[in-house]
Structure formats: structure tokens, C-alpha cells
Amino acid sequence: MFTAATESEEEVPSLLWGLDPIFSAFARLYIKDVQEMKESKQVPGIFFYNRHPVRQVDILGTVVLIKERDAYYTYGDFRPHPSTSSGLDLAEQIRKLEVAVRQKTRLEIGDTIRVRGCIQIFRQQREIKASMYYKVDDPMCEVLISRMLELPHLYRDIYDQPFQLQEEAQSQGAAYMLGSITELSKKIRDFLLKNKIQSFYQQELETVEALVSLVKEDGPRTAEQTDSKAGPCSKLIRDSFTEAIKVLQKKGVLFQKSKNPTDMYFVTEQDKELHKVTLEVLGADCKRPKYAEKGCHLNYILNCIQQRYSPFVSKDVIHCLLDWMETNSDVVTTMEGYYTVF
């Protein structure tokens, strides 16, 4: 039988919390567990139940105590014209709405209440900061009984199952990275070349629906991610594009002129300035007796371009560029690793 995590058990790193669907959900926990969960040492306001990071809960209970404090009120003035029937109808609808809101939010001892919100510590006391609450009309206790029957299944199938990093998360992540990231990188390259894009920022690429749809269709999903319009899905898109761009950088298809990962990316096969500098280097040096016979070596060309164009251009970029220029008959390979122009 699974036992609760001990105090000495190491917390799951915050970078991996998004892999656990419970982190993005309103966890339906017993109030006792909400009170006893350990708070994260990494991020205040995040709590752990059996290594599952919990930030928001959905609870159902009975009001046993009411503390009244000084309240403030906001009044709005709405005066429909009394001579129009539509005005009278609207005023009546507003009145009924106000009555319904008062009935749902005015609580008394013994009322059943449903609360959704984040857990927080206030004056050394743990409480739920409600983002939504309402009184449940449950004279026959049907809602309470339904919740009582539901929770054991949730605990057995989800909450009491340990958050597995090595098995579920990594196996799903590895399968996605190897398959979908490779496919996404190919589609990004095709898109850039087809549209003759010379430079771009990653966030601009993430607005291309044809590319984003690949991530949404192929990415690993959970029930919470499917329902969410933002949050986990946005992170999945951002992370997927980041990894796909890294693949293209390793192949020399893309490069940057600085070490800042948020700076602009340049497309090797479309960068006219890089082409010009490369042809100038080869055109000038291949006329020298030293290079006239077999041309310039790849490493020499790389060194010249790093000095004249950008020190952050890699060997993979130059190799990709020269292969493309040879396909277009701009340069010729004389022997392995040597290039010349005529």
C-alpha cells in the first residue's frame, strides 16, 4: 500500500511541476489533507500531497462558523425609463438576479458550500483564498453523498499514485521529443525557406498557426491540458519551439549573432550578408598562390567569417551554407573540406 511522503523526501523540482496534471487542476481533497500538506520550500503557496504539487483546491463542506467583519459596499445607479415595457422587464430581471446572488452568497450555519481557490497562509493560519464559492442547495444530501463516493476513487487512482518523474514523465517526454520535435524542426525549416525569411524572433514563429497546430495535435496531453485554453498549452508550444530551434541550430540551419537565447535568429540559407562575406573571402583568397590549386579549407573559411562577420557563427553553419552554395553552383568542392570559386 502506498504511504505518504516523509518530510525528508526531496521535493520535485519546480521546473517539472507542469508535468503533473494535478498542478493545473483544482484538486478535490479532503479538508484534513488540505490542512496537513507540507508547503514547498521552493515556492511559497505551493503544497505537496504525496509529491504532487498542489496550488488550488475544490472543496465541499458545511458551514460551522461565521465571523463577520466590517464590509464595504459599491453602489451602481441604474434607472430604466418607466414608460417603456422593456425598461420594466430589464429592471425586474436585475432585481431577480440580485436576489439570486444574495441567496447563493449569504451563508448561515449548517449550509453546504462549495469553494474553489488557492491555499495560502494568513497570520500563521492556513486558509483558502476563494476565487469562487456558492451555497449548494442540497436538502437530501445528494451532492455531499456524491462527493463522498467520488473522493475515494480520486485518491486511489490519482492522488495516492506517486508522481513518477523517471517513468511516466520522462518516457512520454522522450517519445515526444524524438518524434514530434524532429517533425516540427523540419516544418519550421520548410516554412522559413518557402517564405524566404532571413531573420525572426522565436515568439514571431509561435504565431504561425500551421506550425503551432503540429504541437497541439502531437503534444502529450492530459485532461486538464485539453480543457485549458492557456497555461500548460502555451508552455508546451514555447518549449516545443525552443527544442526544435535547437535542433536546427545544431544542423547549422539557424544561427544567432549573440549568446542571448532571446535574440534574433538568422536563416543560414537566406542570409544575404553572410553569403556576400563568404564569397568575398573565397574570391579573394582563392586567387592567392597558396590556395589557387585546391581552394580554402572549411576551418579557414570559418575563421575568416568569424572575424569579418560574427564570432558566434559555428562550423555547422558554414558547412550548411557551403553545401547550399555548392548546390546553387556558387562554390565548388575540390577535395574533402576544400572549396573554391571561379
Side-chain angles (χ1 to χ4, degrees):
M1 185 175 179
F2 182 77
T3 56
T6 61
E7 289 187 20
S8 60
E9 188 172 8
E10 187 176 343
E11 285 186 11
V12 176
S14 60
L15 185 63
L16 302 176
W17 290 351
L19 296 175
D20 190 339
I22 295 177
F23 181 65
S24 302
F26 285 92
R28 298 186 178 186
L29 298 170
Y30 292 117
I31 295 177
K32 177 178 180 293
D33 290 325
V34 175
Q35 294 174 333
E36 296 179 354
M37 286 191 301
K38 302 297 182 182
E39 187 171 16
S40 170
K41 297 177 182 178
Q42 304 173 68
V43 181
I46 303 298
F47 299 81
F48 282 95
Y49 179 84
N50 286 347
R51 300 193 78 219
H52 293 289
V54 178
R55 61 175 176 173
Q56 49 195 8
V57 294
D58 181 326
I59 64 171
L60 191 70
T62 302
V63 178
V64 297
L65 174 67
I66 297 177
K67 289 185 178 180
E68 295 184 356
R69 298 179 181 176
D70 292 338
Y72 67 91
Y73 300 88
T74 300
Y75 295 94
D77 186 13
F78 180 80
R79 298 177 181 176
H81 199 285
S83 61
T84 62
S85 58
S86 59
L88 291 175
D89 292 342
L90 183 57
E92 180 63 18
Q93 291 176 16
I94 292 175
R95 188 190 66 79
K96 290 180 178 179
L97 178 61
E98 291 173 344
V99 171
V101 170
R102 283 198 298 269
Q103 290 176 346
K104 284 288 185 181
T105 57
R106 182 179 178 180
L107 304 175
E108 297 182 0
I109 300 295
D111 285 341
T112 300
I113 181 176
R114 184 178 181 182
V115 179
R116 276 190 167 192
C118 297
I119 308 171
Q120 67 177 20
I121 306 296
F122 180 70
R123 294 180 179 176
Q124 308 303 316
Q125 296 291 323
R126 187 168 300 185
E127 62 182 21
I128 298 174
K129 184 178 181 181
S131 58
M132 180 275 289
Y133 77 93
Y134 60 86
K135 181 169 63 176
V136 179
D137 295 324
D138 192 27
M140 304 300 293
C141 296
E142 294 177 355
V143 177
L144 279 174
I145 293 173
S146 176
R147 176 65 69 100
M148 291 171 62
L149 294 174
E150 175 190 33
L151 287 182
H153 292 283
L154 287 174
Y155 271 80
R156 184 184 65 246
D157 298 337
I158 301 176
Y159 303 139
D160 284 343
Q161 297 297 322
F163 178 22
Q164 298 289 345
L165 290 177
Q166 299 298 327
E167 299 173 7
E168 287 86 356
Q170 289 190 356
S171 63
Q172 290 178 6
Y176 173 65
M177 294 293 286
L178 292 175
S180 297
I181 293 300
T182 301
E183 180 65 20
L184 178 61
S185 66
K186 292 179 181 178
K187 295 296 184 181
I188 289 176
R189 181 180 183 275
D190 292 343
F191 171 80
L192 295 172
L193 297 181
K194 179 181 179 181
N195 293 278
K196 298 182 179 180
I197 297 174
Q198 298 184 38
S199 59
F200 64 92
Y201 289 99
Q202 179 175 330
Q203 54 266 37
E204 295 176 329
L205 207 60
E206 293 171 8
T207 63
V208 181
E209 184 58 35
L211 300 175
V212 173
S213 62
L214 293 174
V215 180
K216 293 179 179 179
E217 291 173 3
D218 299 333
R221 298 186 179 196
T222 65
E224 293 298 328
Q225 287 176 332
T226 302
D227 294 337
S228 176
K229 295 182 180 179
C233 186
S234 298
K235 185 178 186 303
L236 175 63
I237 292 171
R238 182 173 60 254
D239 292 347
S240 299
F241 274 81
T242 298
E243 294 302 321
I245 286 175
K246 287 180 181 178
V247 171
L248 294 175
Q249 284 182 291
K250 289 179 180 178
K251 293 181 178 180
V253 176
L254 303 176
F255 67 94
Q256 291 178 292
K257 296 182 181 179
S258 74
K259 292 184 178 181
N260 190 341
T262 62
D263 281 353
M264 181 177 289
Y265 292 92
F266 294 84
V267 183
T268 302
E269 297 178 22
Q270 297 292 334
D271 191 330
K272 295 180 180 179
E273 185 179 357
L274 180 59
H275 292 186
K276 179 181 177 182
V277 172
T278 304
L279 288 175
E280 288 175 352
V281 169
L282 287 171
D285 289 344
C286 286
K287 294 178 181 178
R288 297 166 58 185
K290 182 178 179 179
Y291 304 107
E293 182 178 350
K294 58 181 180 181
C296 299
H297 190 268
L298 174 64
N299 291 335
Y300 174 79
I301 300 171
L302 171 64
N303 184 59
C304 292
I305 291 177
Q306 286 179 335
Q307 293 182 28
R308 296 180 55 178
Y309 180 72
S310 170
F312 299 101
V313 173
S314 69
K315 186 175 181 178
D316 291 327
V317 170
I318 300 305
H319 195 280
C320 176
L321 174 64
L322 291 172
D323 284 350
W324 181 81
M325 294 176 73
E326 184 177 16
T327 302
N328 288 273
S329 301
D330 294 326
V331 301
V332 177
T333 302
T334 58
M335 55 188 299
E336 183 66 28
Y338 287 85
Y339 299 85
T340 188
V341 293
F342 297 108

